[in-house]
Amino acid sequence: MTATLSVEAAVERTIREPLIELEGVVKIYRTGKLEYPALRGVDLTIDGGQMVAVVGPSGSGKTTIMNMITGIDRPTAGSVVVDGQQIDELSEEQLAVWRGGNVGIVFQFFQLLPTLTAVENAMLPLDFARKGSKRARFETARHNLELVGLGDKLHHLPAELSGGEQQRVAIARALAPDPKLIIGDEPTGNLDTQTAADMFELLERLNDEGKTVVYVTHDLELAARAGRVVTIRDGLVVGE
Amino acid sequence: MASTLVKKSVTDLTRRRARAVFAILTLAIAVASIGIFAAAPLMDRAMQDEVRASRLADLTLQTKPLVVSKEQLEALRRLPNVTGMQALSVVQTRVWIGERRQKAIVVGVPDYARQQVDRVAITSGTAPRAGTVLTDVQNGGRYDGGVGDRIRVLGVGDRSYALRVSGVGRNLEWSQTGVNGDFVVLYSTPETAARVAGEPGYSLFAFRLSNTSTPAANRTAADIRGYLRANTSFTRFSDLPTIREPGSYPGKEFFDQLASLMNVFTVLALLAACVLVANTMGTLIGEQRREIGMMKAIGGRRRQIRRLYLRTALLLGGLGSVLGIVLGIAIANMIVRFFGSTFFAITPGWSISVPVIVASLVIGILGPPLAALPAIRRGTRVPVREALDEVPPLEGGVRAVDRLLRRLTFLPRTAQIGVRSVTRRTRRTIATVIQIALAVGTLVGVLALMNSVTATTEAAWNELHYDVDLNTVVGKQLDAKAARLIRTTPGVAVAQPVLMNTVKAAGKDAAAWGLSPQPMFEQKVVSGRWFSASEETAAARVTVIATNIAKELGADVGDTVSIRTASGPRRLRVVGMTGTQMENGLLFLTPLSTMRALLDSPDTVNAYWVRTTTPDHALIDRTTTALEDRLAAAGYSIGTNIRYVDQARNVDTNRQISMAIGILGFLIVAISMVGLVNAITMNVLERTREIGVLRCIGARARDIRRIFAAEGLAVSLAGWLLGIPVGYAFARLLNWLLVELVKIEFTFTFPPLNLLIALVGTVVLALLIMRLPLRRAVRLKPGKALRNA
């Protein structure tokens, strides 16, 4: 399967201000009487336009770092600034709105709503943000689905799509608010090798267009294709 | 492995405490609904206790006031088969309540300390002496005076007596008479009653018998008649002897009818509860899909896994049963106390019905495992690979109903998501829809019942074309002098004499009215004809009978029927049948002269029907007062019934009774709402990760709330729609049941307005009840939702 995305001329990457700044981030999970320190003081800076792979063994804190960046979880200590916004100080409602407008998240298991069609899933963030008219949202979603090679499957339900196609829909959904930042938590983890490779090419193209892409992966080959690899172990950044 | 599996049966509950608690509460409600079956036996037990304590009479006889000496009373006590006797002086009168007058009965009891029959229990204060009275405990609303207050009682000759209230009393028979007939009931001495009545004497004799069979009771009545004829000025009883069947009590038939209606609701509640329990167990087992897969993967056999979950279900059933039994006992006792105090003037103590408790325990413990079996069977048959699949199966979206739901694009996106989610858990949705349909059907059925009862009651009253009914049962009969007084009272346009009595036909109590050939009464002849003027003149032995009694007797036009009157057995030829529902259709109508001849009462009647010059209520009230005053001044002790007042009261009472039965419908509503909360809560729990994802892509709290609210409302609306035919069928069933129980042809009505009321009620209740699970959905933090799903 080949993505039919037309690649624009290579975008000159300029040195920008950092897009993501984590300073002294600590995260401790409490379950009953047990305390589990998932992050022990992480300092991490990611510039705009970078493609960063976050790797590490299971339980090292990779997903926790992603959750800090997206505001899905709050740090126990430290600060998280994304695109100039200190997100650890936002309320849950504010975080939801901020995410809907600024971050595109691609989950390992796609997490599409099974009763919505591909185009409806793809425009969902715009529906929640109440951005533009219904027509405009539809057009944006249609455009994004064409971008990911699913222009002919707008009205298919997720159950009528393959795993790879579902993940493409998930990527189209992530692109809906035209975010600067795309986060993927094992975005190819549930795909076969070929489909995973196609999916990664898509992410690379988005990065070429100037979007910052940060992804968690266990696949060292995929990690190597990133411009930067951050290694996490026992809740700390141990290597780049 | 065995002990681990046993432990798992327990930890499955303790691990997911909220769900376990919810399931237990659900089971408890289901078991509690069985407890309602205990209401009828508990009520009966309480009434039998009351019957014993009050020494309810087995035989009651009424006469005109009769002077009987102490020795003669003693002689009556010593008659064969008599174990106790009470003679009472009963006067129908009025009392002043402020500036208005209220119907009243004064009951004179000779010796409060030695009452052998029909005890008047003194609940507070002291026994009355001359010039004092006890007020009945059920007088509230009609007369609210207490100990120490004075009440003005009107006597004959228009005299007024200010009697001091010495205490509060209660009597099984008279308390109910007060409630049913809208009388203020006062208990006093025979001397006080005589002053009010204007003449001394006992008018009611109550007996307890050693042999209470009907033949023995009739023989005793004959003995009493013989003694009184031989030793006093007695001529005849003013009505048929009242023989109480063993085990029966005043109002028993009414309560049995109520109990039958209650049982219909209880069965419905049980049905709704079964659906709820099956749904709950199905969800609980369905959640365990991966765990079942894992157990099979590591060597667990289906039988072992089945036993594990059956044990869990048993445990849930046990806990739910215990709580449900406690709830059921409370509900049953509350029903008994409500009906006991409202209709029977008693306050029953708390009691239990062992058979119902045993049934609750058995059904409560065994029900959940049985309900869980289909889900357990399904769960253990899923292939291991499928059960262990990390990716949850994509349910919903591809069926015809889903395509239909996708057309609702005019709805906001959140509502579209919610409505389309209805088909993702089909079994659960169907179960919830059924429960809501049962609740809606119950509400609609009860509303239709109330409409039918009101319409029929009003129609029955509209058969009567008089405004005031003057009557005397135990006092001086209404003779020619009374007739002159009545007809010359200002405001009276027409006055018709009527002679009413109780008769027995084929063992059934019925009423017999002697009327004019053109009575102030809608004849509603359905076959044959009305009796003629010549038959009135000839006092012909003819009758027009109501269709209900005709059915009981198997009689038709042309047949001869036998009836037993206060004066003995009589035979009448049926010339026509009427469809009237007065007296529940157990009615014989004869020419007045015929009735007089049957009762050996040639010159007097015991009632007059009066039509006033205009139907203005104020004029009717003034005319009634004038009639009472004039007749009382002339020494007649009469009661009056104003038709428009009695009609309104009767309609209201019947409506209240329907509502009281309908309150049980709330149990079904409660079950359906528990089902809805259960369904939405389970949906939220199952879609926790989905909620987390939605929050990640920009959904606000209100979006999440709207999604699940839309889902809940969609299910509720589907339940409402299904509830319409259920409600119609239920209304028909209730109507049929009422006809069978009460023997009255109720007009069936099914107003569309009731459907609108049910719709509004369903939507409002659903929105209120969903607040809790929606709050839970909204409060889920995305991180926790994505981690813990």
Side-chain angles (χ1 to χ4, degrees), chain A residues 29-93:
Chain A
Y29 289 111
R30 289 182 176 87
T31 316
K33 289 180 186 167
L34 292 173
E35 282 190 356
Y36 169 66
L39 297 178
R40 296 167 190 267
V42 168
D43 295 306
L44 179 64
T45 302
I46 296 174
D47 293 334
Q50 284 191 310
M51 187 157 187
V52 180
V54 179
V55 300
S58 289
S60 58
K62 308 186 295 295
T63 299
T64 310
I65 284 185
M66 307 301 255
N67 288 350
M68 294 296 121
I69 294 170
T70 55
I72 288 173
D73 267 326
R74 289 178 188 280
T76 310
S79 74
V80 180
V81 179
V82 178
D83 198 16
Q85 174 75 57
Q86 181 140 7
I87 63 170
D88 54 283
E89 287 177 353
L90 297 179
S91 68
E92 285 299 333
E93 278 296 273

Side-chain angles (χ1 to χ4, degrees), chain B residues 352-424:
Chain B
I352 60 169
S353 167
V354 171
V356 169
I357 289 176
V358 169
S360 300
L361 206 56
V362 168
I363 294 172
I365 290 177
L366 296 182
L370 285 170
L373 265 176
I376 292 172
R377 201 171 284 136
R378 272 197 308 274
T380 51
R381 284 198 176 151
V382 173
V384 173
R385 186 206 58 77
E386 199 180 307
L388 291 177
D389 214 338
E390 273 285 354
V391 181
L394 285 169
E395 345 86 345
V398 295
R399 290 164 293 192
V401 63
D402 301 309
R403 285 196 288 277
L404 189 66
L405 291 175
R406 281 204 294 280
R407 285 176 191 269
L408 303 175
T409 51
F410 56 88
L411 294 173
R413 179 68 74 210
T414 46
Q416 285 182 45
I417 297 171
V419 167
R420 293 187 205 182
S421 297
V422 156
T423 57
R424 290 172 71 173

Side-chain angles (χ1 to χ4, degrees), chain A residues 29 72-73 92-93 96-97 99-100 109 111 113-116 120 123-125 127-128 130 134 157 190, chain B residues 391 394-395 397 406 409 413 417 420 424 689 693 695-703 781-783 787:
Chain A
Y29 289 111
I72 288 173
D73 267 326
E92 285 299 333
E93 278 296 273
V97 173
R99 275 192 295 268
F109 297 109
Q111 302 297 351
L113 264 63
T115 56
L116 297 186
E120 287 170 340
M123 67 195 239
L124 204 47
D127 289 330
F128 287 139
R130 286 136 185 98
K134 274 187 186 174
L157 290 165
N190 210 37
Chain B
V391 181
L394 285 169
E395 345 86 345
R406 281 204 294 280
T409 51
R413 179 68 74 210
I417 297 171
R420 293 187 205 182
R424 290 172 71 173
R689 189 182 275 178
V693 168
R695 293 289 255 159
C696 286
I697 63 173
R700 299 181 209 200
R702 68 177 184 219
D703 296 315
K781 292 205 166 68
R787 264 195 309 279

Side-chain angles (χ1 to χ4, degrees), chain B residues 50 93 253 453 525 546 564 600 659 669 680 744:
Chain B
E50 189 64 27
T93 181
E253 197 181 342
V453 166
V525 174
R564 201 155 61 79
D600 301 323
M659 268 179 60
V669 171
I680 298 298
I744 292 180

Side-chain angles (χ1 to χ4, degrees), chain A residues 117-120 138 145 152-157 160, chain B residues 406:
Chain A
T117 59
V119 69
E120 287 170 340
F138 179 86
L145 282 168
D152 56 341
K153 294 193 176 176
L154 297 183
H155 301 294
H156 281 59
L157 290 165
E160 296 164 335
Chain B
R406 281 204 294 280

